[in-house]
Amino acid sequence: MKRKLTAGAVLSASVLLAGAIQVAAAPAHAAPVQQRDSLIALAGQQAAPVAQALALGGQEKLVVKDVVVDANGTRHLRYDRTYAGLPVLGGDLVVHQKANGTIASVDRAFDGRLALASLTPAISAGTASAQAVDSVRATVGIAPTDKDASPVTRVDGAGTPALVVWAGDGSPRLAYRTAVHGERADGTPSRQQLVTDAATGQVLSSHEEVQTVNGTGKGVHVGTVTLNTTQSGATYQLKDPARGNQWTGNAKNNNALYTDADNVWGNGLATDTQSAAVDAQFGTGATWDFYKNTFGRSGIRNDGVGASNRVHYGNAYINAFWQDSCFCMTYGDGQSNTHPLTALDVAGHEMSHGVTSATANLTYLNESGGLNEATSDIFGTLVEWYANIPSDVPDYLIGEKIDINGNGTPLRYLDKPSKDGKSPDAWYAGIGGLDVHYSSGVANHFFYLLSEGSGAKVINGVSYNSPTSNGSTVAGIGRDKAAAIWYRALTVYFTSSTNYKAARTATLNAARDLYGAPEVNAVAAAWSAVNVN
């Protein structure tokens, strides 16, 4: 929700960050790592004046998370919120500040001042931990709503519950956040983050931190590629010094870093354990290059630090997943341990969850969860287009090489999401109740229409026929512009609670920031074509 400040608040904020950050103004999108660190530090120093300008309560504090500076000096300061020192889940906001330091507007996940009657929990931490474990144990053997996850089969215990303030549903209250650890039926590790009411024990939110994509692979995917490696003595390491030292290890050998004597890695066959490592390392590098060269983003967190990979996880494990906690990707070897799940769009999709976590942190349920998944589908697709390798010809299909359905069909379709049998092509009331991998269809469809337009066409040898819910004909503006609009909306305007209506507003704002009336009108037309008005 965007809230305009009063004139008095704007005046009181006019000194914020003027001068100091102004001299450090950066090109649009992202700043270089050292410059970004300076901007983060300066924005952190100004958190208290910003909070005062926004009329937050005396116990509310702002903690800077990110800063985006446009070419014209406009600044977008992303803050998380605390209350009496406790993290506020769903309390994040983005302050949009003119070059002269005045605050133009604010996007808030929670629009209001926090005021809790008490900070003393009625339930002890030990009880909260037991309740969280019991809640997950009650789901053992039950198929989850997340279609990409298998049932929990083992619960190992929980970490120490932490007191937080829950504002994710618009009714702030004291709560506990507890991580419950276990394993799923397919061997995927489970780390569920539960938020429970500190007065009643009610589960307010549950989110599986380990994000997966199911499927059976078709072998090694990227073919012959060039890799940056690191020489150490007489051996070479599968570590890329040009991309934040991102590296790949072997899960069958305690995630040990891959090394080689002649710097020639793998033979393209799954029987050579290095071949899957080549896929993973290349996919991580392609994702880094896409974000760096397209948006100026230096790594997933924009801090210059590369992620890591581990391949050959589990036994005949047919998943791949991203984990924020280890800042890493994990790949299984698929059926019979001969089909590694190291496809390029899978890598781009999963690592883009890390980008979302580092920016808007879209809550992984309801419509915001669909937007979270769609963001990964969109950027996973764009990584594939960016890499443009002959062994994986770019398309608007998700997971087409991992054959999740066993019949050669893709996991998802951006041009007509309903082709998977479950994803909607357009928004409708209640869509937030769908599994987030299905409700993502609306944003996926929007992005395809914005990029390529509606109707039948053949692109890169693949046939598409994208419908519109209102019978309109939509003209695309091209992938590059559509990508820039979505990225800016994600990093500058989205908050953790953004829904489809707010995403429409955010992308319209992004189009105005970057382009002109034709692109703004195209964004509006594409959203109307998927019934987001």
Side-chain angles (χ1 to χ4, degrees):
M1 178 180 295
K2 178 167 284 189
R3 176 185 174 189
K4 294 291 184 182
L5 296 178
T6 64
V10 172
L11 288 173
S12 68
S14 63
V15 298
L16 301 182
L17 305 177
I21 284 188
Q22 193 169 7
V23 300
H29 303 310
V33 173
Q34 290 182 338
Q35 187 177 52
R36 177 179 178 273
D37 289 345
S38 298
L39 294 173
I40 289 285
L42 288 167
Q45 293 169 12
Q46 295 299 324
V50 169
Q52 183 179 8
L54 300 183
L56 300 186
Q59 296 195 81
E60 297 181 71
K61 307 294 182 186
L62 296 178
V63 180
V64 65
K65 181 176 183 179
D66 198 11
V67 177
V68 175
V69 182
D70 298 340
N72 66 0
T74 300
R75 297 175 287 273
H76 310 276
L77 317 178
R78 185 178 293 277
Y79 291 100
D80 287 329
R81 198 183 322 195
T82 65
Y83 180 84
L86 301 178
V88 180
L89 308 184
D92 52 296
L93 54 88
V94 184
V95 178
H96 306 289
Q97 190 179 61
K98 297 179 181 179
N100 65 2
T102 60
I103 298 175
S105 62
V106 182
D107 288 310
R108 306 180 189 227
F110 169 71
D111 190 14
R113 178 182 289 193
L114 293 170
L116 272 62
S118 172
L119 293 174
T120 302
I123 295 173
S124 69
T127 299
S129 176
Q131 290 175 333
V133 169
D134 288 344
S135 176
V136 176
R137 280 193 175 134
T139 69
V140 168
I142 300 174
T145 57
D146 181 347
K147 71 183 183 67
D148 278 350
S150 61
V152 172
T153 53
R154 193 184 77 227
V155 177
D156 298 328
T160 302
L163 277 175
V164 298
V165 175
W166 168 254
D169 58 4
S171 299
R173 70 200 83 171
L174 191 66
Y176 284 105
R177 179 169 55 183
T178 310
V180 179
H181 308 269
E183 187 175 82
R184 296 189 177 274
D186 61 358
T188 303
S190 175
R191 179 183 167 89
Q192 294 194 49
Q193 290 281 1
L194 276 74
V195 179
T196 54
D197 193 306
T200 67
Q202 175 191 359
V203 176
L204 304 173
S205 172
S206 178
H207 169 55
E208 174 58 72
E209 185 180 277
V210 181
Q211 298 300 325
T212 66
V213 56
N214 294 306
T216 55
K218 290 185 176 180
V220 177
H221 306 291
V222 301
T224 301
V225 293
T226 299
L227 298 171
N228 284 343
T229 58
T230 299
Q231 186 170 3
S232 178
T235 64
Y236 297 87
Q237 300 172 337
L238 201 52
K239 177 190 291 186
D240 188 345
R243 297 178 177 89
N245 284 318
Q246 58 191 27
W247 59 276
T248 299
N250 187 349
K252 289 284 194 290
N253 187 24
N254 295 318
N255 302 325
L257 173 67
Y258 270 97
T259 60
D260 188 78
D262 61 4
N263 210 20
V264 177
W265 305 84
N267 61 9
L269 300 176
T271 51
D272 185 331
T273 67
Q274 287 188 356
S275 297
V278 169
D279 279 347
Q281 188 75 358
F282 180 83
T284 308
T287 302
W288 175 288
D289 289 351
F290 163 71
Y291 280 107
K292 177 69 172 179
N293 296 330
T294 307
F295 305 123
R297 187 177 191 86
S298 183
I300 289 171
R301 290 187 301 233
N302 199 23
D303 60 359
V305 177
S308 62
N309 304 291
R310 51 180 178 171
V311 294
H312 308 305
Y313 176 82
N315 181 30
Y317 180 68
I318 54 172
N319 274 325
F321 56 86
W322 167 264
Q323 279 182 284
D324 277 327
S325 57
C326 65
F327 201 59
C328 68
M329 272 293 300
T330 299
Y331 300 91
D333 284 329
Q335 291 185 349
S336 304
N337 289 314
T338 57
H339 298 76
L341 246 44
T342 46
L344 186 55
D345 58 355
V346 172
H349 172 106
E350 296 299 342
M351 283 183 280
S352 291
H353 278 304
V355 174
T356 296
S357 177
T359 54
N361 198 27
L362 290 158
T363 302
Y364 205 68
L365 75 163
N366 303 325
E367 291 189 20
S368 60
L371 287 164
N372 188 318
E373 271 298 312
T375 296
S376 281
D377 280 350
I378 288 167
F379 288 134
T381 295
L382 290 167
V383 167
E384 188 175 282
W385 279 95
Y386 177 86
N388 193 24
I389 56 176
S391 57
D392 192 353
V393 177
D395 51 45
Y396 288 97
L397 310 173
I398 300 296
E400 72 278 3
K401 293 184 72 68
I402 61 175
D403 193 17
I404 189 172
N405 300 315
N407 58 7
T409 57
L411 175 61
R412 286 187 285 278
Y413 305 78
L414 270 65
D415 68 314
K416 188 178 181 181
S418 61
K419 288 174 70 175
D420 68 10
K422 295 181 179 179
S423 297
D425 292 332
W427 183 90
Y428 62 87
I431 196 171
L434 291 179
D435 177 279
V436 295
H437 296 86
Y438 300 140
S439 61
S440 62
V442 177
N444 283 344
H445 193 192
F446 158 80
F447 184 82
Y448 176 86
L449 289 169
L450 184 62
S451 298
E452 302 291 351
S454 58
K457 52 180 63 72
V458 177
I459 305 170
N460 257 11
V462 179
S463 297
Y464 303 96
N465 193 355
S466 191
T468 59
S469 66
N470 57 3
S472 65
T473 299
V474 175
I477 61 174
R479 275 185 311 279
D480 291 347
K481 287 184 177 180
I485 288 168
W486 193 265
Y487 180 80
R488 183 167 178 82
L490 174 72
T491 57
V492 170
Y493 294 110
F494 284 3
T495 69
S496 61
S497 65
T498 294
N499 59 17
Y500 274 113
K501 181 179 178 181
R504 176 188 171 104
T505 300
T507 49
L508 286 169
N509 287 336
R512 290 188 189 98
D513 294 343
L514 297 173
Y515 304 112
E519 290 80 9
V520 173
N521 293 337
V523 169
W527 278 123
S528 295
V530 296
N531 198 34
V532 180
N533 297 300

